[in-house]
Amino acid sequence: MAESFDLAALLAERGPERYELHAKYLNPQLPRMLHTIGFDKYYERAAGPYFYDAEGNEYLDMLAGFGIFALGRHHPVVRAAVQQVMDLDLPDLTRFECPTLPGLLAEKLLSYTPGLERVFFGNSGTEAVETALKFARYATGKKRVLYCDHAFHGLTTGSLSVNGESGFRKGFDPLLPDTAIPLGDLGALRKELKRGDVAALIVEPIQGKGVTIAPTGWMSAAQALLHEHKALLICDEVQTGIGRTGDFFAYQHEEGLVPDLVCAAKALSGGYVPIGATLGKSWIFDKVYSSMDRVLVHSASFGSNAQAMAAGLATLHVMEQEKVVENARAVGDLFRERLAALVDEYELLADVRGRGLMIGIEFGRPKSLKLRTSWTAVQAARKGLFAQMVVVPLLQKYRILTQVSGDHLEVIKLIPPLVVTERDVDTFVRAFTEIMDEAHHGSGLMWDFGKTLVKGAVR
C-alpha cells in the first residue's frame, strides 16, 4: 500500500523554489517577466476577492484569474459540492452510460438562454470555441469563419485561426480558412458573405482586448445578414458570460438576439474544476450527431466529468441564492460612475467604458507640455508602457492586482470577482486617484518605474 501523501508538507518544503522551478521546467519567460515588473509575489492563501501573503497583508484581486473566479476564491458552497461528489464514489466517465449530472447542468444552463436547446461540455474556453467552429462548419457545409479585428478566442489551432492578434498567430501557420473584419462593420461582413463560403462569424460581445463593446444592434443585424447567406453567429462568452456584464450572457443586452452557438467557460467552474460549454440550437447538434455512427464524432476525454458538473451546478446555485449577477450590475454601475467622474479631472485619463464588472480604463495623450513630453518618451519606448506604469504601483504600493488589457494598448482592464463590494470600489478608486495625482505631478513610483522601462529594462 502506498505511503500517505502530504501535500502541505511538500509545499512548505519546496515553496521557496517556485520561481526557480518554473524557470527550469516550465515557461522560463514567465518568472523573468514577473521579476522585471515586480510581480514576483508569493501569495500564501486566498479567500473571496482577496489574496494574503506570508505576513498577512491583504491584496485586492481585480483580475479574478482572467475571469475564472467570479465567486472569488474558495467559495464554501462550491468546495462542499466538489468534496461531496468525490465522497459519493460515482462511476464517472464510464463512456457507456448517461450520467445524471451533465443532464442537470445542461438543463440549468439552458434555462438562462431561451432559444438555445443543447449543450456540449468540454474542459476550457478554447475547447468551447473549437466545438463551435467545428459544428458551424459541419452544419453549414462551408469552411471559412470570420472574426473581428483585435479578437481573442483562444490559443489552440482552431481558435487561433480566429485570433485578431498577430503576435499570437506568428509562426503557427497554416491555420484554418479565416478572414478578419472590423467590429461593427456590416459592409465588410456583407462583402465577405457574397463569396458564398462563410460558415460563421464569431464575435465577443465585449472584446477582452481593449474592453471594446460591440455597437448596439450590430450583432442582430449581423445575424440577419449571416442567415440570409446560410451562415451562423457564434458568440464567444468565455469571459463575458455567466454574469460578468450584469446579465447572464452579454449578448442578452441586445433585446431579442439569440445566437446560433454560444461559448462559455471560466466562471462556470466556480474556480475549482476546468469546464467549457458550447450551447446551441438543436438543428445544429442534430446535423453533427446525425446517426449512431456519428455518436462520438465530437467528444472530450474529460468532458462532463462529475467534479466539473458538480462545480457548475453549485456555481449557478450560488449565483441565484446570493444574487451575484445583480451585484455585478449594481457594483459595476457604481464602479464605472466613480471612475468616469475622474476623466475630466485628469488629462492623462481618456475614457472609462464597459458593462457590469468588465471595465476598461484608457489613457491618452495629455494636453499640457510637461506631461506631453513624458508621455511621448514613454510611447517612444513602447506603446502600452504607461498603462503598465499604473498597474505596477497598484500592486506594489496599494496591493491591488490588475492587468493591461492587451499588448501595445494603453488600457487597464478590471475584471474582479463578481462578489466585490462598494468597499472594494472605494479601495480601488482611492488608490487610482492617488496614482493619477502623482502622475500629473511627475512624481512617485510609477514614473520611477517608467524611467526603468524607457531605459530598456523591458522590451
Side-chain angles (χ1 to χ4, degrees):
M1 189 173 187
E3 294 181 6
S4 61
F5 175 66
D6 191 336
L7 181 60
L10 181 63
L11 289 172
E13 177 187 357
R14 303 295 301 278
E17 303 172 47
R18 58 199 179 279
Y19 286 96
E20 290 80 6
L21 289 168
H22 272 260
K24 186 174 182 179
Y25 299 114
L26 298 167
N27 179 352
Q29 297 301 331
L30 178 60
R32 181 186 176 201
M33 180 269 287
L34 294 173
H35 287 312
T36 301
I37 66 173
F39 272 39
D40 49 347
K41 304 290 185 182
Y42 182 30
Y43 303 110
E44 192 169 77
R45 64 184 182 88
Y50 308 109
F51 304 118
Y52 300 89
D53 62 21
E55 288 72 42
N57 295 311
E58 182 178 273
Y59 295 75
L60 175 59
D61 180 16
M62 285 282 160
L63 189 56
F66 297 142
I68 292 170
F69 295 95
L71 302 181
R73 282 169 169 79
H74 308 302
H75 194 287
V77 172
V78 183
R79 173 162 46 192
V82 174
Q83 185 63 59
Q84 187 177 7
V85 80
M86 289 191 290
D87 290 344
L88 288 173
D89 293 331
L90 297 175
D92 199 17
L93 300 176
T94 66
R95 303 303 176 195
F96 293 97
E97 185 204 11
C98 290
T100 305
L101 290 176
L104 291 176
L105 182 55
E107 178 184 58
K108 190 65 178 177
L109 263 179
L110 293 170
S111 72
Y112 297 103
T113 58
L116 301 177
E117 298 127 338
R118 295 190 186 276
V119 183
F120 175 85
F121 288 117
N123 307 286
S124 65
T126 197
E127 282 190 39
V129 170
E130 296 279 354
T131 299
L133 297 179
K134 285 180 67 176
F135 281 27
R137 295 175 83 203
Y138 191 86
T140 62
K142 302 174 184 179
K143 304 305 178 189
R144 194 159 59 106
V145 177
L146 307 180
Y147 63 98
C148 295
D149 293 333
H150 309 299
F152 185 92
H153 298 291
L155 296 175
T156 50
T157 302
S159 58
L160 186 60
S161 300
V162 290
N163 194 313
E165 174 55 60
S166 60
F168 287 117
R169 298 165 64 99
K170 186 178 180 180
F172 295 106
D173 300 295
L175 300 171
L176 299 179
D178 61 75
T179 304
I181 65 170
L183 181 70
D185 193 330
L186 287 176
L189 175 59
R190 186 179 291 107
K191 178 181 177 181
E192 296 300 330
L193 287 171
K194 286 180 178 177
R195 292 173 57 182
D197 63 342
V198 172
L201 166 68
I202 184 167
V203 61
E204 301 158 275
I206 303 177
Q207 290 187 332
K209 182 175 182 178
V211 192
T212 304
I213 304 175
T216 301
W218 178 72
M219 288 189 294
S220 294
Q223 185 177 46
L225 272 177
L226 288 159
H227 286 181
E228 283 178 26
H229 292 82
K230 295 181 170 51
L232 307 180
L233 176 66
I234 304 169
C235 278
D236 180 349
E237 298 259 11
V238 169
Q239 189 164 97
T240 56
I242 322 295
R244 168 63 53 191
T245 64
D247 273 312
F248 193 79
F249 282 119
Y251 77 80
Q252 293 170 332
H253 288 277
E254 195 158 309
E255 188 174 354
L257 176 63
V258 181
D260 300 293
L261 292 159
V262 174
C263 306
K266 290 187 183 290
L268 187 59
S269 69
Y272 276 95
V273 187
I275 185 172
T278 306
L279 293 71
K281 296 177 179 177
S282 286
W283 73 268
I284 299 171
F285 278 67
D286 291 343
K287 275 205 167 187
V288 172
Y289 299 111
S290 57
S291 67
M292 286 193 289
D293 289 342
R294 294 181 57 81
V295 67
L296 295 176
V297 72
H298 185 73
S299 61
S301 293
F302 288 95
S304 298
N305 71 81
Q307 289 88 352
M309 300 298 100
L313 283 165
T315 296
L316 297 181
H317 172 81
V318 170
M319 286 193 156
E320 289 182 353
Q321 293 294 308
E322 298 185 6
K323 300 188 182 302
V324 173
V325 180
E326 293 86 345
N327 187 71
R329 187 184 307 123
V331 175
D333 287 347
L334 172 67
F335 212 162
R336 289 193 313 281
E337 180 182 318
R338 294 278 305 278
L339 291 169
L342 302 177
V343 173
D344 291 335
E345 187 172 344
Y346 298 110
E347 56 182 293
L348 283 163
L349 188 56
D351 189 30
V352 173
R353 57 181 176 267
R355 187 172 283 148
L357 282 170
M358 186 171 185
I359 299 169
I361 303 172
E362 183 170 8
F363 305 100
R365 188 172 184 264
K367 295 178 180 179
S368 63
L369 179 60
K370 180 181 178 181
L371 285 176
R372 195 164 66 242
T373 300
S374 298
W375 172 267
T376 301
V378 170
Q379 295 297 293
R382 195 173 195 272
K383 187 177 180 182
L385 287 189
F386 184 84
Q388 190 67 57
M389 287 163 54
V390 176
V391 163
V392 168
L394 277 171
L395 180 65
Q396 292 185 351
K397 184 175 181 180
Y398 297 97
R399 301 193 186 106
I400 301 172
L401 180 63
T402 57
Q403 68 168 130
V404 178
S405 75
D407 203 15
H408 303 293
L409 287 181
E410 296 291 5
V411 181
I412 293 176
K413 179 167 65 174
L414 306 180
I415 46 171
L418 306 185
V419 295
V420 291
T421 65
E422 291 186 22
R423 168 190 176 240
D424 302 316
V425 172
D426 288 340
T427 298
F428 182 90
V429 173
R430 184 165 52 251
F432 184 75
T433 301
E434 289 184 15
I435 290 172
M436 286 292 96
D437 283 339
E438 290 183 353
H440 284 72
H441 289 94
S443 63
L445 178 63
M446 66 170 296
W447 288 110
D448 293 339
F449 180 72
K451 291 173 186 175
T452 302
L453 295 177
V454 171
K455 288 177 182 176
V458 178
R459 295 293 186 191

